Amino acid sequence: MCGIVAYVGEKNAYEILIKGLKRLEYRGYDSAGVAMISNNHEFLHYKCKGKVSNLEEHVGQQSVDAHIGIGHTRWATHGPANDVNAHPHLSGNEELALIHNGIIENYDVLKKELTSRGHNFVSDTDTEVLVHLIEEVKKQEDVGLFEAVRLALHQVTGAYAIVVIDKSNPRELIAAKKSSPLVIGMGEDDFFIGSDATPIVEYTNNVVYLEDGEIAHISLDTGLKIRKLDNKVITPTIQELQIQLEALEKGGYEHFMLKEIFEQPKTIKDCMRGRISAQKGHVSLGGILDYQDKILNARRMIIIACGTSWHAGLVGEYLLEDLARIPVEVEYASEFRYRNPVIYEDDVVLAISQSGETADTLAAIKLAKEKGATILGICNVVGSTISRETHAGSYTHAGPEIGVASTKAFTAQVTVLSLLALMLAKRKGTVEKSRLNRLLFELESIPDKVTEALKTDAACELISEIYKNSSNALYLGRGYSFPVALEGALKLKEISYIHAEGYPAAEMKHGPIALIDEEMPVFVVATKGPSYEKVISNIQEVKARKGKVIVISTKGDEYIKEMADHYIEIPETEEMFMPILATIPFQLLSYHMAVMRGCNVDQPRNLAKAVTVE
Ligand code: F6R
């Protein structure tokens, strides 16, 4: 949520900031802006509503010669997306410029106090209040920028990642963080800052992740110095980035989402690499191995997540209960954190998050930690806050996911959950050895079956052409396919803006059936498995009411072809691995419908990739 980039060194700051903002645009794209300090100590300050490309147009051919600057791409929280509310914001005396990701919760109180001291505000944002506060503290206490930021942050409640510059000092950046991520890149003789590593990776692999409550003083004269808010000195730990630059490019695809959908055979393979060998009867998740007995002796497992990751959590519940016979509850992190849940010390909480930065998931983790539970994580972004806040965990290794709609992260999450359930089942002996081995072989074959499932692309495109103008859609599935129905509906609504609902197929007759008429496309997962016959009955119920049925079926199922208006065939697999395969056509259908409707699939309206505000 909101992208932050900053630079100080000898290079052209404007080029680095614009390139960085383009890489970060998936985090927010309501407006964008930059502030740089010119060689004669003036701010070069440009900002406007819309995308980074609008900002570039706005700057036009003006020569922007600066070696220090800050840039921001916004996802609006306080105040609408317009030129004035875009970051960076300047202090009242126009000496300081600041960019911010997060929410200052007490901004209203601070604003009233500062207004009574003569400050005037031009925007509706909480961020502008913060830069005025720093200006006020700097003046009142007669201190330098670092100290002013440190003292000002003592008065602030909420979440922030900020970078501040002072136009009288073009060799210094001050950055601070609480509950919103910030990474510092260490160049040869320059420094970079990003809200994630994507704008940095092109220049350096050496990074320092700022921790909550830390302030960084970055100076071309004295280097990087970090202190806590209480002034305690922190020794920075430099880590090496693993991201490849190509992973941040579209690689010939029209959209990141399409590229990421087609990457799935590889990402699932990467996710399983070294963790499974059916030949040897081996399955293990190194990061969680030491916690196996803790999980098996736990009272229950609570899975917490949001959005698509929550859907993966539901598949996880089915897998863990089915294979390892562990009681599992799946909770929306945003509900869990506020509903005073009962958490025992012998609970194991498993947080699932692609970004590893989702504010609600983080808050839920902190709550469960306070109550003494063991916290495990499944994250995609290496080094993310959630991966550092948990006691142990496993990465999904899907590589950077840039398209805002989650695709490859979902299938990788389900793959990790499958490995986890199989590892625990093996340890606990809840699955007979021969069956366990069959399941291991089947899971190993899934990347090839995903390649097969991707061949439905042309069929998905044809079907999308027919239904692209629908106003509503229903997605149905039973058992393991119920979360797939939820995920299919979420994908469609978030990128094509067609209203869609996911339902357990049998629940349809308890209400949603009233919606069905000849205008209503109903997407049904009806693959071969224990609930096949039941789903057939549900399809008949839809047909009887003239609904249009689009079926995801097992390859070679002639019977269902007769019944459905359209069918999309995917390879046969064990029911428990079907979510990985059945979700592929749903991803493709929503992609094509969104493109045909002229929607921006990679950056759908009102959304952002990492939801770092609650
Ligand atoms: C949907 C989507 C979101 C995320 C949700 C959680 O396509 O991407 O629903 O799944 O915001 O994000 P993470 O997994 O980063 O915690």
Side-chain angles (χ1 to χ4, degrees), residues 38-108:
S38 71
N39 296 334
N40 53 352
H41 291 222
E42 285 305 322
F43 273 138
L44 301 166
H45 185 208
Y46 307 96
K47 54 185 196 169
C48 63
K49 183 178 172 188
K51 309 239 167 211
V52 179
S53 53
N54 295 37
L55 176 66
E56 272 186 297
E57 268 172 41
H58 175 62
V59 175
Q61 297 309 312
Q62 301 174 64
S63 110
V64 188
D65 188 16
H67 304 282
I68 177 168
I70 55 181
H72 188 268
T73 173
R74 179 169 185 246
W75 186 85
T77 55
H78 290 74
N82 58 30
D83 295 356
V84 178
N85 288 335
H87 299 211
H89 288 280
L90 300 186
S91 56
N93 60 9
E94 302 199 347
E95 295 284 328
L96 311 178
L98 178 144
I99 47 176
H100 167 222
N101 176 15
I103 292 183
I104 307 302
E105 283 165 7
N106 59 338
Y107 85 102
D108 207 24

Side-chain angles (χ1 to χ4, degrees), residues 306-309 353-355 358 404-406 490-491 494 611:
C306 303
T308 288
S309 298
S353 173
Q354 187 286 128
S355 62
T358 302
V404 163
S406 194
L490 176 61
K491 283 296 87 94
E494 72 177 321
V611 185

Side-chain angles (χ1 to χ4, degrees), residues 7-218:
Y7 175 74
V8 62
E10 293 303 317
K11 299 185 178 75
N12 181 310
Y14 179 66
E15 280 168 22
I16 292 169
L17 297 181
I18 289 291
K19 210 177 222 184
L21 288 180
K22 285 185 177 162
R23 292 219 192 282
L24 287 168
E25 206 164 23
Y26 70 99
R27 298 180 69 97
Y29 31 83
D30 292 341
S31 56
V34 288
M36 294 151 290
I37 306 173
S38 71
N39 296 334
N40 53 352
H41 291 222
E42 285 305 322
F43 273 138
L44 301 166
H45 185 208
Y46 307 96
K47 54 185 196 169
C48 63
K49 183 178 172 188
K51 309 239 167 211
V52 179
S53 53
N54 295 37
L55 176 66
E56 272 186 297
E57 268 172 41
H58 175 62
V59 175
Q61 297 309 312
Q62 301 174 64
S63 110
V64 188
D65 188 16
H67 304 282
I68 177 168
I70 55 181
H72 188 268
T73 173
R74 179 169 185 246
W75 186 85
T77 55
H78 290 74
N82 58 30
D83 295 356
V84 178
N85 288 335
H87 299 211
H89 288 280
L90 300 186
S91 56
N93 60 9
E94 302 199 347
E95 295 284 328
L96 311 178
L98 178 144
I99 47 176
H100 167 222
N101 176 15
I103 292 183
I104 307 302
E105 283 165 7
N106 59 338
Y107 85 102
D108 207 24
V109 179
L110 294 170
K111 192 171 186 173
K112 285 193 182 114
E113 168 69 19
L114 289 163
T115 306
S116 72
R117 288 169 180 259
H119 287 257
N120 291 317
F121 296 92
V122 291
S123 79
D124 310 312
T125 63
D126 49 341
T127 305
E128 194 188 7
V129 176
L130 188 52
V131 69
H132 278 248
L133 177 67
I134 295 167
E135 172 195 354
E136 181 68 20
V137 172
K138 192 166 180 292
K139 191 173 86 190
Q140 293 299 332
E141 303 293 327
D142 192 20
V143 289
L145 183 58
F146 178 86
E147 190 58 7
V149 171
R150 192 181 75 80
L151 294 173
L153 290 178
H154 278 281
Q155 299 184 41
V156 165
T157 55
Y160 53 79
I162 57 167
V163 188
V164 199
I165 50 176
D166 179 337
K167 76 178 180 189
S168 68
N169 188 353
R171 298 178 65 78
E172 172 189 88
L173 298 166
I174 307 294
K177 126 165 185 89
K178 186 183 161 210
S179 303
S180 288
L182 216 48
V183 191
I184 300 167
M186 313 287 288
E188 295 255 302
D189 43 19
D190 50 5
F191 296 91
F192 305 80
I193 300 178
S195 39
D196 61 42
T198 53
I200 297 175
V201 63
E202 199 158 341
Y203 309 100
T204 177
N205 279 330
N206 296 325
V207 296
V208 173
Y209 290 94
L210 217 55
E211 297 289 345
D212 273 358
E214 290 182 354
I215 315 177
H217 184 194
I218 297 166

Side-chain angles (χ1 to χ4, degrees), residues 332-517:
Y332 282 117
S334 53
E335 288 298 314
F336 181 78
R337 64 178 290 197
Y338 284 121
R339 68 166 181 74
N340 193 15
V342 176
I343 307 167
Y344 300 104
E345 285 187 0
D346 55 354
D347 280 336
V348 169
V349 171
L350 175 65
I352 306 177
S353 173
Q354 187 286 128
S355 62
E357 304 294 348
T358 302
D360 283 321
T361 311
L362 252 171
I365 288 173
K366 285 184 182 156
L367 173 72
K369 234 183 190 178
E370 275 163 29
K371 306 271 182 195
T374 301
I375 320 290
L376 306 177
I378 296 177
C379 290
N380 191 38
V381 177
V382 177
S384 55
T385 310
I386 291 177
S387 69
R388 286 178 287 131
E389 282 288 327
T390 45
H391 294 120
S394 284
Y395 284 117
T396 44
H397 297 305
E401 192 177 63
I402 310 288
V404 163
S406 194
T407 52
K408 62 175 180 173
F410 174 76
T411 48
Q413 288 164 346
V414 174
T415 304
V416 171
L417 288 160
S418 306
L419 292 166
L420 177 65
L422 288 164
M423 173 177 91
L424 295 170
K426 185 178 171 203
R427 175 84 170 186
K428 196 171 171 184
T430 39
V431 174
E432 210 184 293
K433 200 162 173 238
S434 58
R435 176 155 186 255
L436 190 82
N437 258 33
R438 265 203 323 277
L439 293 176
L440 294 182
F441 274 108
E442 187 55 31
L443 186 55
E444 273 188 338
S445 75
I446 287 293
D448 291 339
K449 292 188 176 181
V450 170
T451 304
E452 278 297 302
L454 284 166
K455 292 183 184 154
T456 62
D457 187 37
C460 290
E461 197 170 349
L462 282 175
I463 294 169
S464 299
E465 190 61 51
I466 300 167
Y467 294 103
K468 64 173 190 250
N469 293 322
S470 304
S471 310
N472 298 289
L474 204 55
Y475 283 72
L476 302 177
R478 289 180 91 117
Y480 280 96
S481 295
F482 161 51
V484 178
L486 293 177
E487 176 59 9
L490 176 61
K491 283 296 87 94
L492 187 70
K493 64 187 142 195
E494 72 177 321
I495 60 166
S496 73
Y497 320 140
I498 297 173
H499 169 238
E501 301 264 2
Y503 256 89
E507 276 291 305
M508 183 182 60
K509 55 183 151 317
H510 298 287
I513 200 164
L515 294 168
I516 291 172
D517 59 18

Side-chain angles (χ1 to χ4, degrees), residues 129-305:
V129 176
L130 188 52
V131 69
H132 278 248
L133 177 67
I134 295 167
E135 172 195 354
E136 181 68 20
V137 172
K138 192 166 180 292
K139 191 173 86 190
Q140 293 299 332
E141 303 293 327
D142 192 20
V143 289
L145 183 58
F146 178 86
E147 190 58 7
V149 171
R150 192 181 75 80
L151 294 173
L153 290 178
H154 278 281
Q155 299 184 41
V156 165
T157 55
Y160 53 79
I162 57 167
V163 188
V164 199
I165 50 176
D166 179 337
K167 76 178 180 189
S168 68
N169 188 353
R171 298 178 65 78
E172 172 189 88
L173 298 166
I174 307 294
K177 126 165 185 89
K178 186 183 161 210
S179 303
S180 288
L182 216 48
V183 191
I184 300 167
M186 313 287 288
E188 295 255 302
D189 43 19
D190 50 5
F191 296 91
F192 305 80
I193 300 178
S195 39
D196 61 42
T198 53
I200 297 175
V201 63
E202 199 158 341
Y203 309 100
T204 177
N205 279 330
N206 296 325
V207 296
V208 173
Y209 290 94
L210 217 55
E211 297 289 345
D212 273 358
E214 290 182 354
I215 315 177
H217 184 194
I218 297 166
S219 157
L220 292 180
D221 304 316
T222 53
L224 168 65
K225 304 250 185 311
I226 300 179
R227 285 175 186 263
K228 295 291 270 186
L229 274 184
D230 63 8
N231 228 355
K232 189 171 149 229
V233 175
I234 300 291
T235 310
T237 312
I238 299 180
Q239 300 187 29
E240 203 175 323
L241 284 177
Q242 304 295 340
I243 309 173
Q244 303 299 316
L245 201 54
E246 311 82 74
L248 305 175
E249 314 280 349
K250 283 190 198 148
Y253 285 90
E254 205 177 326
H255 297 100
F256 279 110
M257 182 180 177
L258 193 61
K259 175 190 173 217
E260 288 157 8
I261 291 173
F262 275 88
E263 271 175 356
Q264 289 174 107
K266 177 177 179 305
T267 51
I268 295 169
K269 217 179 246 171
D270 288 346
C271 176
M272 292 200 282
R273 182 159 296 125
R275 293 170 165 176
I276 177 170
S277 163
Q279 273 303 343
K280 296 181 184 153
H282 162 81
V283 56
S284 100
L285 286 168
I288 295 182
L289 203 59
D290 291 346
Y291 282 77
Q292 279 194 100
D293 292 332
K294 190 124 207 168
I295 301 173
L296 293 175
N297 294 324
R299 185 186 290 250
R300 62 189 169 161
M301 184 181 269
I302 306 171
I303 296 180
I304 48 172

